[in-house]
Amino acid sequence: MLAALLGVWLRVRGLLSIASVCIFMVPPQVGVAQTDAGAPGHFGGKPLYLPELSGVCAAGQDLNDGCAAIRARRVVDASALPWRAIGRVNSATVQTRSHCTGTLISEQVVLTAAHCLYDELRKTWIAPQSLRFVAGYMQGQGAAVSTVERYILDPSYDMGRHDFRIDPPADWALLVLSKPIGRQTGFASLASEAPEGLKTTDVFLAGYAGLRAHVLTVAEDCGEAAYASARDVILAQCAAMKGDSGAPLFEMAADGIRVLGVLSSVAGTQAGL
């Protein structure tokens, strides 16, 4: 099952944030050699990340900037189909506790962002045993829960190094769960076609934003998503913040959620944030 899965698109990329660009990692086939047009941390040769985005809701220096957009996101019943394929990726170590968002893409594999698995405080990768995936999480309860047996990262990441920084085209991770909980909850599909020419307004983001960490909310303000070939990422404008990392950028298909990418980063454009 896993071997077959690895032959599918499994490098999902970036999104945009409130008045900001969220970068979604897009998945080519795992193991395929990649070329990178521009150094990590740059988009098309221009600076990508904005250190001044320090507000709680990611819109600027004012801690409240953008929070209204987060609160406006629609709350959905995470225990119901198709939403219960999405869940919280919880990590707990002696020193820290945090969460990101992940999506079941098979009975036993969750897709999330690689940077969610790196402990900045200790400058090391989090042990799989310290991770839990709670599918369909809502207000303290989940549709199904599993520990993580191991995880798979883009080959460009060296787990022995301690100088990790986000590179959106490689910012994906596959969590191999200890239990096949996708049999209970169902799981999302991955877009099978390359994103070249993507230009659609029918895309959404669903995640556990830090401001509303105990409910699954959907951002329906993603505007027009477009594929940026220079960095192999998808750009969209969604209300997003910490906690949404790893959240799926998706479209609704006849069979449920079809994942186009996962939320990696917030970036700036010539038009502004």
Side-chain angles (χ1 to χ4, degrees):
M1 178 270 297
L2 183 58
L5 179 64
L6 293 181
V8 192
W9 278 63
L10 289 179
R11 237 188 52 201
V12 190
R13 328 217 177 234
L15 274 178
L16 311 167
S17 179
I18 315 132
S20 305
V21 177
C22 298
I23 302 177
F24 292 85
M25 161 276 234
V26 178
Q29 294 180 336
V30 165
V32 174
Q34 304 169 32
T35 58
D36 196 8
H42 287 71
F43 181 80
K46 296 182 174 63
L48 177 61
Y49 307 114
L50 301 178
E52 64 270 24
L53 292 180
S54 59
V56 167
C57 293
Q61 292 287 2
D62 187 332
L63 297 185
N64 292 318
D65 278 358
C67 290
I70 297 294
R71 293 190 181 98
R73 284 169 34 169
R74 180 167 61 97
V75 178
V76 296
D77 182 356
S79 66
L81 288 171
W83 308 114
R84 63 190 185 193
I86 302 171
R88 274 188 29 158
V89 178
N90 295 328
S91 64
T93 67
V94 174
Q95 296 170 300
T96 62
R97 290 176 180 270
S98 62
H99 83 270
C100 281
T101 302
T103 308
L104 279 159
I105 55 171
S106 79
E107 293 179 353
Q108 209 164 341
V109 177
V110 170
L111 178 64
T112 188
H115 74 261
C116 293
L117 309 180
Y118 186 76
D119 186 334
E120 283 286 353
L121 185 63
R122 301 174 64 194
K123 300 298 179 184
T124 188
W125 292 91
I126 298 171
Q129 296 78 12
S130 297
L131 300 169
R132 298 288 185 278
F133 179 71
V134 187
Y137 174 79
M138 191 168 185
Q139 297 177 331
Q141 298 185 346
V145 183
S146 177
T147 55
V148 175
E149 187 176 281
R150 60 192 176 93
Y151 55 77
I152 300 167
L153 302 175
D154 188 277
S156 65
Y157 284 135
D158 180 356
M159 295 185 68
R161 297 184 61 176
H162 303 288
D163 56 350
F164 170 82
R165 64 174 175 170
I166 297 174
D167 182 24
D171 193 16
W172 60 268
L174 300 178
L175 308 181
V176 182
L177 304 181
S178 305
K179 303 176 185 177
I181 60 175
R183 295 177 186 174
Q184 303 168 236
T185 63
F187 48 88
S189 62
L190 288 175
S192 58
E193 67 279 357
E196 283 85 351
L198 171 68
K199 199 171 185 180
T200 177
T201 56
D202 297 324
V203 295
F204 312 94
L205 167 75
Y208 292 91
L211 197 65
R212 311 182 77 182
H214 299 287
V215 291
L216 181 64
T217 58
V218 178
E220 298 169 309
D221 59 349
C222 294
E224 188 175 84
Y227 175 64
S229 59
R231 285 285 286 161
D232 197 15
V233 296
I234 294 171
L235 303 179
Q237 291 184 351
C238 305
M241 66 175 293
K242 186 175 181 179
D244 285 321
S245 290
L249 176 71
F250 65 92
E251 58 185 359
M252 296 303 299
D255 57 350
I257 292 172
R258 181 180 296 136
V259 179
L260 303 173
V262 296
L263 178 59
S264 172
S265 312
V266 174
T269 69
Q270 291 180 344
L273 297 183

